[in-house]
Amino acid sequence: MNRDRSPILTAAVDTIVPTMLVFALFMLFAGHSSPGGGFVGGLVAVAALTLRYIDSGVPGLRANLAVSPFVLLGLGILFSTATGTVPVVLGDTYLESNISEFSLPVIGAVKLTTPLFFDIGVFLVVLGSGLMLLETIGASSTDALRTPGEEPLPTTAEPGEVER
């Protein structure tokens, strides 16, 4: 843990980030029938995780992620592409919109539309891109050369010294 971290900032980030992530999901799911959508929801999620990055850096950011930003980006492209091409395979036009309505026991009536799946793809692309950007900004010169999942290279510099 970094000794220079502010306990007030950490407490604020620990409170604000989960709230912002829930709001990002609300924006994602409400976007096909009101203002919001995958892009806006993704931006709110990236803003929340940027606060986490400001508080605890790349290690804190990575500790809060279950998957790599590359996986999020790839899944987002897959969702968005599949949403457009599956209707073509089924004989409809590209990005044909379909609606499916059903009822769930506790929630009640639920309406799923294909634009929601496209929005989920956009959300994942924006989130993956934003996280890749944060990791790139926060990576040290030796850390930037390693592949995802590889351990960081050992450093010979003492704390406060610049490695040559």
Side-chain angles (χ1 to χ4, degrees), residues 7 31-32 44 58-59 70 77 79 86 89 95 98 124 137 144 160-161:
H32 62 279
V44 172
V58 173
F70 295 99
I77 292 171
F79 262 73
V86 166
V89 172
L95 284 175
N98 292 313
L124 292 173
I137 291 171
E161 290 184 1

Side-chain angles (χ1 to χ4, degrees), residues 35-94:
F39 187 74
V40 174
L43 289 178
V44 172
V46 169
L49 294 173
T50 300
L51 288 174
R52 175 67 63 202
Y53 167 76
I54 290 169
D55 177 48
S56 54
V58 173
L61 192 60
R62 288 182 182 159
N64 286 294
L65 297 176
V67 295
S68 165
F70 295 99
V71 172
L72 292 174
L73 186 62
L75 284 174
I77 292 171
L78 181 70
F79 262 73
S80 298
T81 305
T83 303
T85 55
V86 166
V88 172
V89 172
L90 298 175
D92 290 330
T93 60
Y94 185 75

Side-chain angles (χ1 to χ4, degrees), residues 134-154:
L134 288 174
E135 283 193 357
T136 302
I137 291 171
S140 68
S141 60
T142 57
D143 197 32
L145 298 176
R146 65 185 180 87
T147 59
E150 184 182 349
E151 291 297 318
L153 298 172

